[in-house]
Amino acid sequence: MILGMGVDLVSLERIDGVWKRHGERFLKYLLTPEEQTEFSRQAAPERFLAKRFAAKEAFSKAVGTGMRAPVLWRSIGTAHNALGAPQLVFEEPLGVWLQARGITRTWLSITDEKSHAFACVVLEGT
């Protein structure tokens, strides 16, 4: 059963501007340690950041809380499965919180174009 859905569209220019103004502080605020490592290898870092921002914002909309504990930027991570499909991963407090609400699976789709990044998150559960 679908328990929630959220989408987000973000301007690459906006995210790039925030990153250039706040630098490392923004990276540590937005990205998990694993994402920070992946970020350091990106040829287009503004696209990487915008897609991660959109994915996390879409997730916060899907659960209906916005960004407040335990739904925090660094509690939500992104990764890829063996076939390369994007997926969400969660830090322990958030993972437990999701299980308590019957959320057993998440679906993530992310994409970017010349000036924007878009993400859609669907939550499945009992």
Side-chain angles (χ1 to χ4, degrees):
M1 169 179 5
I2 294 175
L3 299 179
M5 183 178 139
V7 300
D8 193 58
L9 177 70
V10 64
S11 159
L12 270 66
E13 182 179 350
R14 175 178 159 233
I15 296 300
D16 190 45
V18 173
W19 172 46
K20 287 179 177 167
R21 275 192 310 281
H22 299 286
E24 191 71 23
R25 194 172 99 202
F26 178 60
L27 300 180
K28 288 182 178 182
Y29 178 74
L30 178 66
L31 304 175
T32 65
E34 295 80 11
E35 289 173 320
Q36 289 176 43
T37 299
E38 190 177 351
F39 172 80
S40 67
R41 299 186 301 259
Q42 297 301 308
E46 70 284 354
R47 291 186 178 283
F48 180 88
L49 290 174
K51 288 189 286 186
R52 280 11 180 222
F53 185 96
K56 295 173 187 207
E57 186 69 20
F59 173 78
S60 77
K61 292 173 181 178
V63 295
T65 62
M67 283 297 173
R68 65 177 149 163
V71 180
L72 304 171
W73 297 106
R74 287 190 45 158
S75 297
I76 309 160
T78 57
H80 294 88
N81 69 17
L83 297 175
Q87 58 189 26
L88 293 169
V89 292
F90 306 102
E91 296 293 318
E92 187 63 33
L94 180 54
V96 170
W97 185 85
L98 292 170
Q99 286 177 349
R101 279 147 187 79
I103 297 168
T104 57
R105 187 164 187 185
T106 62
W107 297 89
L108 169 64
S109 181
I110 52 178
T111 190
D112 63 305
E113 282 294 330
K114 183 176 180 180
S115 62
H116 289 85
F118 175 82
C120 178
V121 171
V122 175
L123 307 177
E124 245 187 276
T126 56

Tab-separated table of all heavy atoms in Angstrom, residues 75-110:
chain	number	residue	atom	x	y	z
A	75	SER	N	20.207	12.600	7.987
A	75	SER	CA	19.636	11.298	8.339
A	75	SER	C	19.170	10.543	7.106
A	75	SER	O	18.878	9.360	7.168
A	75	SER	CB	18.440	11.474	9.280
A	75	SER	OG	18.841	12.052	10.475
A	76	ILE	N	19.076	11.261	5.983
A	76	ILE	CA	18.597	10.692	4.727
A	76	ILE	C	19.785	10.640	3.773
A	76	ILE	O	20.392	11.667	3.477
A	76	ILE	CB	17.505	11.583	4.107
A	76	ILE	CG1	16.411	11.899	5.122
A	76	ILE	CG2	16.949	10.947	2.837
A	76	ILE	CD1	15.594	13.122	4.757
A	77	GLY	N	20.088	9.466	3.294
A	77	GLY	CA	21.178	9.329	2.341
A	77	GLY	C	20.667	8.776	1.019
A	77	GLY	O	19.561	8.244	0.936
A	78	THR	N	21.479	8.910	0.003
A	78	THR	CA	21.161	8.340	-1.298
A	78	THR	C	22.285	7.395	-1.692
A	78	THR	O	23.445	7.602	-1.329
A	78	THR	CB	21.005	9.422	-2.375
A	78	THR	OG1	22.211	10.183	-2.431
A	78	THR	CG2	19.832	10.343	-2.081
A	79	ALA	N	21.915	6.362	-2.416
A	79	ALA	CA	22.889	5.388	-2.910
A	79	ALA	C	22.320	4.818	-4.203
A	79	ALA	O	21.276	5.277	-4.674
A	79	ALA	CB	23.105	4.291	-1.868
A	80	HIS	N	23.005	3.841	-4.748
A	80	HIS	CA	22.522	3.169	-5.962
A	80	HIS	C	22.579	1.668	-5.737
A	80	HIS	O	23.526	1.164	-5.131
A	80	HIS	CB	23.381	3.554	-7.165
A	80	HIS	CG	23.254	4.992	-7.523
A	80	HIS	ND1	24.044	5.971	-6.961
A	80	HIS	CD2	22.394	5.631	-8.354
A	80	HIS	CE1	23.689	7.145	-7.457
A	80	HIS	NE2	22.692	6.961	-8.291
A	81	ASN	N	21.565	0.959	-6.235
A	81	ASN	CA	21.585	-0.498	-6.103
A	81	ASN	C	22.520	-1.094	-7.149
A	81	ASN	O	23.165	-0.356	-7.910
A	81	ASN	CB	20.163	-1.085	-6.165
A	81	ASN	CG	19.528	-0.972	-7.536
A	81	ASN	OD1	20.178	-0.744	-8.556
A	81	ASN	ND2	18.218	-1.150	-7.563
A	82	ALA	N	22.582	-2.412	-7.218
A	82	ALA	CA	23.520	-3.092	-8.123
A	82	ALA	C	23.272	-2.756	-9.593
A	82	ALA	O	24.187	-2.813	-10.403
A	82	ALA	CB	23.427	-4.602	-7.914
A	83	LEU	N	22.049	-2.391	-9.930
A	83	LEU	CA	21.720	-2.036	-11.309
A	83	LEU	C	21.853	-0.533	-11.576
A	83	LEU	O	21.615	-0.080	-12.688
A	83	LEU	CB	20.303	-2.501	-11.647
A	83	LEU	CG	20.087	-4.010	-11.588
A	83	LEU	CD1	18.618	-4.342	-11.814
A	83	LEU	CD2	20.969	-4.717	-12.604
A	84	GLY	N	22.201	0.231	-10.557
A	84	GLY	CA	22.388	1.665	-10.719
A	84	GLY	C	21.185	2.517	-10.383
A	84	GLY	O	21.237	3.744	-10.479
A	85	ALA	N	20.082	1.888	-9.978
A	85	ALA	CA	18.880	2.654	-9.625
A	85	ALA	C	19.106	3.395	-8.308
A	85	ALA	O	19.687	2.842	-7.373
A	85	ALA	CB	17.683	1.727	-9.502
A	86	PRO	N	18.642	4.634	-8.212
A	86	PRO	CA	18.824	5.378	-6.966
A	86	PRO	C	17.928	4.817	-5.865
A	86	PRO	O	16.844	4.303	-6.133
A	86	PRO	CB	18.402	6.804	-7.332
A	86	PRO	CG	17.439	6.629	-8.454
A	86	PRO	CD	17.917	5.419	-9.210
A	87	GLN	N	18.413	4.913	-4.656
A	87	GLN	CA	17.635	4.480	-3.501
A	87	GLN	C	17.961	5.344	-2.304
A	87	GLN	O	19.016	5.990	-2.257
A	87	GLN	CB	17.884	3.008	-3.193
A	87	GLN	CG	19.326	2.669	-2.915
A	87	GLN	CD	19.561	1.168	-2.827
A	87	GLN	OE1	18.836	0.376	-3.403
A	87	GLN	NE2	20.568	0.787	-2.072
A	88	LEU	N	17.053	5.362	-1.352
A	88	LEU	CA	17.258	6.106	-0.114
A	88	LEU	C	17.790	5.155	0.951
A	88	LEU	O	17.406	3.984	1.000
A	88	LEU	CB	15.939	6.724	0.358
A	88	LEU	CG	15.374	7.812	-0.546
A	88	LEU	CD1	13.945	8.153	-0.132
A	88	LEU	CD2	16.255	9.049	-0.500
A	89	VAL	N	18.674	5.674	1.787
A	89	VAL	CA	19.178	4.947	2.951
A	89	VAL	C	19.018	5.875	4.142
A	89	VAL	O	19.086	7.098	4.000
A	89	VAL	CB	20.648	4.500	2.771
A	89	VAL	CG1	20.762	3.446	1.691
A	89	VAL	CG2	21.549	5.675	2.445
A	90	PHE	N	18.814	5.283	5.320
A	90	PHE	CA	18.485	6.092	6.484
A	90	PHE	C	19.397	5.786	7.662
A	90	PHE	O	19.750	4.630	7.902
A	90	PHE	CB	17.028	5.848	6.893
A	90	PHE	CG	16.074	6.072	5.761
A	90	PHE	CD1	15.521	5.014	5.065
A	90	PHE	CD2	15.756	7.358	5.364
A	90	PHE	CE1	14.657	5.213	4.006
A	90	PHE	CE2	14.895	7.579	4.303
A	90	PHE	CZ	14.344	6.507	3.619
A	91	GLU	N	19.750	6.830	8.391
A	91	GLU	CA	20.490	6.661	9.639
A	91	GLU	C	19.560	6.002	10.654
A	91	GLU	O	18.331	6.066	10.533
A	91	GLU	CB	20.979	8.021	10.153
A	91	GLU	CG	21.983	8.700	9.241
A	91	GLU	CD	23.303	7.961	9.155
A	91	GLU	OE1	23.798	7.501	10.201
A	91	GLU	OE2	23.824	7.832	8.036
A	92	GLU	N	20.129	5.398	11.680
A	92	GLU	CA	19.384	4.583	12.641
A	92	GLU	C	18.139	5.250	13.250
A	92	GLU	O	17.067	4.667	13.164
A	92	GLU	CB	20.312	4.108	13.757
A	92	GLU	CG	19.666	3.124	14.689
A	92	GLU	CD	19.256	1.833	13.999
A	92	GLU	OE1	19.928	1.396	13.066
A	92	GLU	OE2	18.232	1.252	14.411
A	93	PRO	N	18.209	6.427	13.827
A	93	PRO	CA	16.982	6.950	14.447
A	93	PRO	C	15.837	7.097	13.445
A	93	PRO	O	14.696	6.772	13.746
A	93	PRO	CB	17.392	8.302	15.014
A	93	PRO	CG	18.867	8.233	15.150
A	93	PRO	CD	19.338	7.315	14.056
A	94	LEU	N	16.137	7.542	12.245
A	94	LEU	CA	15.094	7.718	11.232
A	94	LEU	C	14.589	6.370	10.727
A	94	LEU	O	13.377	6.188	10.536
A	94	LEU	CB	15.599	8.584	10.073
A	94	LEU	CG	14.607	8.840	8.942
A	94	LEU	CD1	13.294	9.420	9.451
A	94	LEU	CD2	15.243	9.773	7.903
A	95	GLY	N	15.461	5.416	10.541
A	95	GLY	CA	15.045	4.086	10.111
A	95	GLY	C	14.071	3.447	11.090
A	95	GLY	O	13.057	2.858	10.692
A	96	VAL	N	14.347	3.574	12.377
A	96	VAL	CA	13.467	3.032	13.420
A	96	VAL	C	12.124	3.763	13.391
A	96	VAL	O	11.060	3.139	13.492
A	96	VAL	CB	14.143	3.144	14.808
A	96	VAL	CG1	13.168	2.830	15.927
A	96	VAL	CG2	15.362	2.234	14.874
A	97	TRP	N	12.163	5.066	13.237
A	97	TRP	CA	10.954	5.895	13.181
A	97	TRP	C	10.066	5.468	11.997
A	97	TRP	O	8.852	5.362	12.138
A	97	TRP	CB	11.373	7.364	13.066
A	97	TRP	CG	10.284	8.366	13.122
A	97	TRP	CD1	9.715	8.910	14.243
A	97	TRP	CD2	9.653	9.008	12.001
A	97	TRP	NE1	8.766	9.831	13.883
A	97	TRP	CE2	8.704	9.914	12.518
A	97	TRP	CE3	9.792	8.897	10.628
A	97	TRP	CZ2	7.905	10.712	11.713
A	97	TRP	CZ3	8.997	9.691	9.811
A	97	TRP	CH2	8.060	10.576	10.343
A	98	LEU	N	10.678	5.194	10.850
A	98	LEU	CA	9.924	4.764	9.666
A	98	LEU	C	9.280	3.391	9.903
A	98	LEU	O	8.110	3.190	9.560
A	98	LEU	CB	10.835	4.714	8.441
A	98	LEU	CG	11.342	6.064	7.935
A	98	LEU	CD1	12.413	5.867	6.875
A	98	LEU	CD2	10.200	6.914	7.417
A	99	GLN	N	10.040	2.480	10.482
A	99	GLN	CA	9.496	1.148	10.769
A	99	GLN	C	8.304	1.237	11.713
A	99	GLN	O	7.308	0.532	11.523
A	99	GLN	CB	10.569	0.250	11.384
A	99	GLN	CG	11.602	-0.210	10.382
A	99	GLN	CD	12.694	-1.048	11.032
A	99	GLN	OE1	12.811	-1.127	12.244
A	99	GLN	NE2	13.502	-1.677	10.205
A	100	ALA	N	8.384	2.090	12.713
A	100	ALA	CA	7.285	2.250	13.671
A	100	ALA	C	6.021	2.772	12.994
A	100	ALA	O	4.915	2.550	13.486
A	100	ALA	CB	7.711	3.198	14.797
A	101	ARG	N	6.172	3.436	11.872
A	101	ARG	CA	5.026	3.962	11.125
A	101	ARG	C	4.586	3.030	9.998
A	101	ARG	O	3.764	3.398	9.182
A	101	ARG	CB	5.357	5.350	10.587
A	101	ARG	CG	5.163	6.372	11.694
A	101	ARG	CD	6.111	7.533	11.611
A	101	ARG	NE	5.955	8.366	12.797
A	101	ARG	CZ	6.483	8.097	13.982
A	101	ARG	NH1	7.206	7.018	14.159
A	101	ARG	NH2	6.291	8.901	15.008
A	102	GLY	N	5.158	1.843	9.943
A	102	GLY	CA	4.757	0.854	8.957
A	102	GLY	C	5.332	1.069	7.571
A	102	GLY	O	4.898	0.432	6.613
A	103	ILE	N	6.316	1.943	7.435
A	103	ILE	CA	6.940	2.185	6.132
A	103	ILE	C	8.026	1.132	5.934
A	103	ILE	O	9.008	1.086	6.673
A	103	ILE	CB	7.503	3.616	6.040
A	103	ILE	CG1	6.354	4.618	6.165
A	103	ILE	CG2	8.275	3.815	4.734
A	103	ILE	CD1	6.780	6.057	6.373
A	104	THR	N	7.821	0.291	4.933
A	104	THR	CA	8.723	-0.839	4.724
A	104	THR	C	9.589	-0.712	3.476
A	104	THR	O	10.562	-1.434	3.330
A	104	THR	CB	7.919	-2.153	4.630
A	104	THR	OG1	6.959	-2.032	3.569
A	104	THR	CG2	7.207	-2.441	5.948
A	105	ARG	N	9.221	0.201	2.574
A	105	ARG	CA	9.997	0.356	1.345
A	105	ARG	C	9.848	1.774	0.823
A	105	ARG	O	8.795	2.382	0.951
A	105	ARG	CB	9.496	-0.637	0.302
A	105	ARG	CG	10.340	-0.664	-0.936
A	105	ARG	CD	10.061	-1.885	-1.747
A	105	ARG	NE	11.030	-1.922	-2.847
A	105	ARG	CZ	11.005	-2.799	-3.795
A	105	ARG	NH1	10.087	-3.739	-3.801
A	105	ARG	NH2	11.898	-2.773	-4.757
A	106	THR	N	10.937	2.271	0.254
A	106	THR	CA	10.891	3.586	-0.384
A	106	THR	C	11.328	3.461	-1.832
A	106	THR	O	12.166	2.624	-2.162
A	106	THR	CB	11.802	4.605	0.337
A	106	THR	OG1	13.152	4.154	0.271
A	106	THR	CG2	11.392	4.797	1.789
A	107	TRP	N	10.749	4.284	-2.662
A	107	TRP	CA	11.103	4.354	-4.076
A	107	TRP	C	11.568	5.761	-4.365
A	107	TRP	O	10.947	6.731	-3.929
A	107	TRP	CB	9.887	4.034	-4.950
A	107	TRP	CG	9.386	2.647	-4.766
A	107	TRP	CD1	8.452	2.223	-3.862
A	107	TRP	CD2	9.802	1.494	-5.492
A	107	TRP	NE1	8.254	0.878	-3.986
A	107	TRP	CE2	9.067	0.399	-4.986
A	107	TRP	CE3	10.713	1.277	-6.520
A	107	TRP	CZ2	9.221	-0.890	-5.470
A	107	TRP	CZ3	10.851	-0.003	-7.009
A	107	TRP	CH2	10.125	-1.072	-6.489
A	108	LEU	N	12.662	5.895	-5.106
A	108	LEU	CA	13.228	7.198	-5.442
A	108	LEU	C	13.513	7.270	-6.926
A	108	LEU	O	14.122	6.356	-7.492
A	108	LEU	CB	14.533	7.429	-4.663
A	108	LEU	CG	15.397	8.626	-5.085
A	108	LEU	CD1	14.666	9.941	-4.844
A	108	LEU	CD2	16.731	8.595	-4.349
A	109	SER	N	13.089	8.357	-7.530
A	109	SER	CA	13.471	8.655	-8.907
A	109	SER	C	14.014	10.077	-8.917
A	109	SER	O	13.385	10.983	-8.363
A	109	SER	CB	12.260	8.535	-9.843
A	109	SER	OG	12.659	8.817	-11.172
A	110	ILE	N	15.199	10.255	-9.487
A	110	ILE	CA	15.793	11.590	-9.579
A	110	ILE	C	16.304	11.827	-10.992
A	110	ILE	O	16.729	10.892	-11.669
A	110	ILE	CB	16.937	11.813	-8.551
A	110	ILE	CG1	17.988	10.703	-8.626
A	110	ILE	CG2	16.409	11.959	-7.161
A	110	ILE	CD1	19.157	10.873	-7.680
